[in-house]
């Protein structure tokens, strides 16, 4: 068994696609029209056949309070592995990304938390 798909709820799928591809560096895998929304997934360019991230519309009534509570408590919606948290932090800050947590070393793990501009906090993590 392996993880095939995970999702983040986004306020605007087109804006999310631009952020997750143009800024974070993922690549679009699926873009299927479904009425007013789309089945829109991205993947890592390093693993195009790997786990997909669904940029899921935030339309369900439970989503807004859920996302708001997570953000208010500083809890990331998901976590992405990177080779070097500090280098990604510097790169993304240079692109105007807002971080809610600067790189923080916790033993063998370094993390940072960014605002994805779509209503979510995203954790970047590197383990030695």
């Amino acid at each position: 068994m392996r993880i095939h798909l995970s999702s983040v709820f986004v306020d605007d799928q087109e804006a999310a696609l631009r952020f997750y591809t143009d800024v974070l560096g993922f690549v679009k895998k699926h873009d299927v029209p479904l009425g007013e929304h789309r089945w829109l997934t991205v993947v890592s360019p390093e693993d195009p056949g790997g786990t997909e991230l669904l940029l899921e519309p935030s339309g369900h009534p439970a989503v807004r309070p859920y996302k708001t509570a997570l953000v208010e408590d500083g809890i990331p919606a998901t976590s992405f592995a990177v080779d070097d948290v500090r280098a990604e932090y510097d790169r993304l800050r240079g692109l105007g990304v807002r971080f809610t947590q600067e790189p923080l070393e916790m033993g063998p793990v370094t993390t940072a938390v960014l605002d994805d501009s779509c209503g979510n906090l995203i954790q970047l993590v590197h383990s030695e």
Side-chain angles (χ1 to χ4, degrees):
M1 188 177 303
R2 65 187 185 281
I3 298 171
H4 168 70
L5 179 78
S6 187
S7 63
V8 290
F9 292 107
V10 298
D11 301 332
D12 177 326
Q13 285 186 299
E14 191 58 38
L17 179 62
R18 283 191 305 273
F19 182 83
Y20 280 81
T21 56
D22 297 346
V23 177
L24 295 185
F26 291 104
V27 293
K28 180 170 60 173
K29 178 139 186 186
H30 295 288
D31 188 351
V32 180
L34 297 172
E36 75 177 270
H37 300 296
R38 299 143 64 183
W39 180 263
L40 184 58
T41 67
V42 296
V43 294
S44 169
E46 298 170 15
D47 189 13
T51 304
E52 296 176 45
L53 181 68
L54 175 63
L55 304 176
E56 188 161 356
S58 301
H60 190 282
V63 172
R64 185 155 317 280
Y66 168 74
K67 284 175 58 174
T68 299
L70 289 179
V71 170
E72 286 176 357
D73 289 345
I75 299 171
T78 195
S79 181
F80 300 144
V82 297
D83 292 332
D84 183 335
V85 169
R86 291 190 183 283
E88 276 301 301
Y89 172 83
D90 291 340
R91 181 184 78 82
L92 294 171
R93 288 271 309 205
L95 293 173
V97 174
R98 185 177 77 81
F99 279 78
T100 62
Q101 177 201 303
E102 294 182 7
L104 176 64
E105 291 181 22
M106 299 173 283
V109 175
T110 303
T111 64
V113 178
L114 63 90
D115 178 339
D116 77 349
S117 74
C118 305
N120 302 291
L121 298 179
I122 305 294
Q123 181 180 61
L124 302 180
V125 64
H126 169 81
S127 299
E128 291 182 20

